[in-house]
Amino acid sequence: MTNLLEAIQSGRQSKPPRVLLYGVEGIGKSTFGSQAPKPIFIQTEDGLDEIECDRFPLAGTFDEVMAALKTLRDEKHDYQSVVIDSLDWLERLIWDKLCQQYGVESIEKVDGGYARGYTHALSLWREVLDVLNLLRSRGMVVILIAHSKVERFEDPESSPYDRYSPRLHKHAAALVKEWTDAVLFATRKLRTQTEDGGFNRKRTIAHAVGKDGGERVIRAYGSPSCVAKNRYGISEELPLSWSAFVAAMSTN
């Protein structure tokens, strides 16, 4: 029997990052993915026509997504990053797969209902993450792209408030957020200004900072306004670019 003490590892181990980037439509999430080292996109939604990148044909089923992932796992290639664009559309394919397996029309009716379908969906999510883990172990960066939603957060230490989060069911979101090394929120930098609204009332107006609708940034740390995290000690707001993210990783 192997002595487990002899297998103990120590020190930092540098591995390619696993990144979840989410934000509103058109802010530059796919462009961020295209800036990663030699990327290949697995597209579950149509929207990459204006971006110079290599991509698999648009996946219309969960099985087609898995076929693309397994191709990267099994075939020889020189891609260094894999980008799934997007997770919320992948989730729809996962739900379609479950509905097909159970012969029902809605995820709400899978296995008799009572939200069991969302729990069963986690097994398909884990299939995706298992292959991504293998790709990462072979040196590939993993980038997962999602749209954002506004959710009501019941904070046990304060009053409830709204915040941005990935547009996924809460069970899937929890699994993916735990698996990734960084959850990044892409947004525009805004400046707020309080003005007189008349009748002794004040109103707060948000103004874009910079050109073209506002400077595009990413937040890698959680706050009351958004869900975010990272394992690299990044605590500052960054420009929305892969190079800025990598530079911040290397300096922390």
Side-chain angles (χ1 to χ4, degrees):
M1 182 177 296
T2 303
N3 186 343
L4 287 179
L5 291 175
E6 296 178 355
I8 291 176
Q9 301 174 343
S10 62
R12 298 179 64 177
Q13 296 182 340
S14 179
K15 293 183 179 180
R18 299 168 293 189
V19 178
L20 166 58
L21 174 72
Y22 75 100
V24 298
E25 290 84 353
I27 196 166
K29 302 181 296 296
S30 300
T31 299
F32 177 93
S34 71
Q35 296 167 350
K38 199 161 181 54
I40 175 69
F41 278 72
I42 298 175
Q43 53 176 344
T44 59
E45 64 170 294
D46 192 8
L48 294 176
D49 291 344
E50 301 303 318
I51 295 178
E52 183 64 36
C53 64
D54 290 356
R55 51 190 178 271
F56 286 99
L58 180 65
T61 66
F62 174 76
D63 290 341
E64 290 175 358
V65 173
M66 291 304 299
L69 286 170
K70 290 176 181 178
T71 296
L72 294 175
R73 180 195 65 186
D74 299 336
E75 303 295 333
K76 186 176 180 180
H77 60 82
D78 59 354
Y79 293 110
Q80 300 174 31
S81 304
V82 56
V83 185
I84 296 183
D85 192 357
S86 66
L87 283 194
D88 31 315
W89 283 72
L90 171 57
E91 184 168 60
R92 300 181 191 188
L93 302 183
I94 286 175
W95 292 353
D96 288 346
K97 177 74 173 180
L98 283 173
C99 289
Q100 183 183 30
Q101 290 177 347
Y102 283 87
V104 296
E105 297 179 354
S106 168
I107 185 71
E108 298 283 354
K109 297 181 180 179
V110 168
D111 197 14
Y114 299 101
R116 292 192 183 99
Y118 301 110
T119 302
H120 288 309
L122 295 180
S123 63
L124 298 183
W125 277 110
R126 291 189 180 97
E127 286 186 28
V128 172
L129 298 183
D130 285 346
V131 180
L132 290 174
N133 269 331
L134 286 173
L135 297 179
R136 179 178 181 247
S137 69
R138 298 174 185 177
M140 292 191 75
V141 172
V142 177
I143 299 177
L144 310 175
I145 291 174
H147 297 91
S148 62
K149 66 179 180 179
V150 177
E151 66 175 9
R152 191 69 170 171
F153 181 62
E154 300 289 338
D155 193 332
E157 296 185 345
S158 67
S159 300
Y161 52 83
D162 293 338
R163 66 179 183 178
Y164 286 102
S165 65
R167 193 187 298 171
L168 298 170
H169 186 272
K170 61 181 180 179
H171 294 337
L175 176 65
V176 174
K177 287 187 295 184
E178 181 181 3
W179 180 80
T180 54
D181 301 307
V183 177
L184 309 177
F185 174 54
T187 186
R188 288 179 172 84
K189 197 167 186 176
L190 301 176
R191 174 177 54 84
T192 58
Q193 179 179 342
T194 302
E195 297 181 352
D196 185 2
F199 302 100
N200 294 320
R201 295 179 180 177
K202 300 291 185 181
R203 63 178 180 178
T204 300
I205 300 177
H207 299 278
V209 177
K211 299 179 180 179
D212 301 323
E215 179 185 351
R216 302 179 185 195
V217 296
I218 50 177
R219 296 175 188 161
Y221 53 92
S223 72
S225 64
C226 67
V227 172
K229 73 157 197 182
N230 74 92
R231 296 170 179 162
Y232 306 110
I234 302 172
S235 58
E236 69 272 18
E237 202 170 71
L238 304 172
L240 178 53
S241 73
W242 175 257
S243 59
F245 173 65
V246 171
M249 283 176 52
S250 62
T251 57
N252 288 278

